[in-house]
Amino acid sequence: MPNRADLADFAYVLAIARHRNFRLAGLEMGVSASALSHSLKALEGRLGVRLFNRTNRSVTLTAAGEELLAAIDAPLAAIGQAVENLARFRDKPAGHIRLNVVADAATLLLGPVMPVFLDRYPDIAVDIVASNRLVDVVGEGFDAGIRYGGTVPEDMIVQRLSPDLRWVVAASPGYLDRFGVPTRPEDLLHHRCLGVRLGDDRIYQWEFEGPEGEFAIALPSRVTVNETPTMQAMAINGAGMMYGTEPAFAPHVAQGSLRLVLEDWSTTGPAFHLYYSSRRQVPVPLRLLLDLIRELRPLG
């Protein structure tokens, strides 16, 4: 019969099996890679079998490790879920969540929501990595990600966080006074346009919708940027036209530092979605954050 040390170390075995990497498994479990390795060696010593084959380049399960994993995965997941469920009986839910978030969602969704979340749940810590680069949220040790619909991996549970998003073109009044206002998307070929670099390093083709449906234009760009705030700073100062979501431009349009153009040609794209692995229990702090985003509806 396993002792308490075995039960604790079984959780480490599951994390190592998920990530096949001691550093990432340690990040998930909140311990160092060396502590994780020490615990695994102690467990293997008590059991008298090797559970993982470890080299400088790979970590793989042995046959004994595969058999142990099959036996403990579901029971430990059920225990973890039961512990998470107890949080609803606490006066103050506690815990920690780690999120990977596309940069615009960090600004538009989490920016308005986090002050309320921190006031309401003072014992919950949130670690946010804002990046447009696509990552494996499970493999990188995140509890969940927030991305545009259509870019979410198919094997995930997905929750909508916003309405569909309108994509528009904007420029500063000074730029438009100097270079003129485009009346058709094709006119952009003769303008200075700020290129958009996607998370997979592709250059985004600006999308529009006209009488014959949706279409995209590949625009030559002397300046290419991978996130909205930098691009907005350049556009506001007259560097060129920029393309992005209407909510991201709204404050600057209201202040008069940007003007929308080609609005009749604007297209609508997928909403922001939160996604997480279907193979792991949902942490209570993540459920509370999801509920609060839906309650406050920062994007309507």
Side-chain angles (χ1 to χ4, degrees):
M1 183 168 180
N3 59 37
R4 283 185 185 175
D6 291 341
L7 292 174
D9 290 340
F10 287 165
Y12 292 165
V13 169
L14 291 177
I16 298 167
R18 275 194 294 270
H19 297 286
R20 305 300 170 99
N21 180 289
F22 279 81
R23 183 185 65 82
L24 294 176
L27 184 63
E28 177 187 333
M29 302 304 297
V31 299
S32 68
S34 60
L36 202 63
S37 178
H38 179 76
S39 295
L40 178 61
K41 288 179 181 177
L43 175 64
E44 289 177 328
R46 293 193 301 274
L47 297 178
V49 295
R50 178 176 289 275
L51 301 175
F52 291 90
N53 292 314
R54 303 183 281 281
T55 70
N56 290 334
R57 294 186 178 182
S58 67
V59 178
T60 58
L61 284 159
T62 64
E66 292 278 8
E67 185 169 325
L68 178 64
L69 182 69
I72 67 175
D73 192 4
L76 286 185
I79 292 171
Q81 186 64 65
V83 172
E84 287 286 346
N85 290 342
L86 292 177
R88 71 181 188 273
F89 296 105
R90 299 185 190 127
D91 293 333
K92 293 183 178 180
H96 173 272
I97 49 175
R98 189 165 184 259
L99 307 174
N100 184 276
V101 183
V102 67
D104 280 357
T107 302
L108 299 173
L109 282 179
L110 299 184
V113 167
M114 287 313 302
V116 180
F117 187 83
L118 295 176
D119 285 342
R120 190 174 294 184
Y121 306 112
D123 295 327
I124 294 177
V126 185
D127 181 4
I128 300 167
V129 176
S131 171
N132 292 330
R133 186 169 294 280
L134 296 173
V135 302
D136 176 0
V137 292
V138 176
E140 294 291 331
F142 294 98
D143 293 293
I146 299 177
R147 296 279 156 187
Y148 297 106
T151 64
V152 176
E154 294 182 357
D155 60 344
M156 295 286 175
I157 294 175
V158 181
Q159 306 280 350
R160 175 188 281 262
L161 299 180
S162 76
D164 287 344
L165 300 166
R166 186 173 179 236
W167 290 77
V168 295
V169 180
S172 70
Y175 175 92
L176 296 174
D177 289 342
R178 181 180 177 190
F179 294 102
V181 179
T183 59
R184 297 178 60 84
E186 292 81 1
D187 295 341
L188 294 172
L189 293 168
H190 308 292
H191 278 269
R192 297 177 179 176
C193 297
L194 302 174
V196 181
R197 184 176 297 280
L198 299 175
D200 59 4
D201 282 335
R202 290 183 297 119
I203 304 302
Y204 187 68
Q205 296 187 9
W206 295 16
E207 297 179 75
F208 301 94
E209 185 168 5
E212 298 181 1
E214 294 187 352
F215 61 96
I217 298 180
L219 297 170
S221 304
R222 292 166 58 196
V223 177
T224 303
V225 184
N226 71 339
E227 49 98 36
T228 300
T230 300
M231 194 180 302
Q232 284 181 335
M234 293 178 181
I236 288 169
N237 285 283
M241 295 196 171
M242 67 176 294
Y243 184 89
T245 62
E246 187 175 27
F249 295 168
H252 303 288
V253 172
Q255 295 167 6
S257 55
L258 287 177
R259 280 173 49 193
L260 300 184
V261 298
L262 300 173
E263 290 190 74
D264 291 342
W265 298 84
S266 295
T267 188
T268 300
F272 290 123
H273 290 74
L274 181 140
Y275 64 100
Y276 49 88
S277 173
S278 60
R279 297 185 295 275
R280 296 174 59 185
Q281 65 266 24
V282 181
V284 168
L286 181 60
R287 291 208 303 267
L288 294 174
L289 178 61
L290 176 59
D291 290 344
L292 186 58
I293 293 173
R294 288 174 166 171
E295 175 188 334
L296 297 181
R297 301 176 63 191
L299 291 177

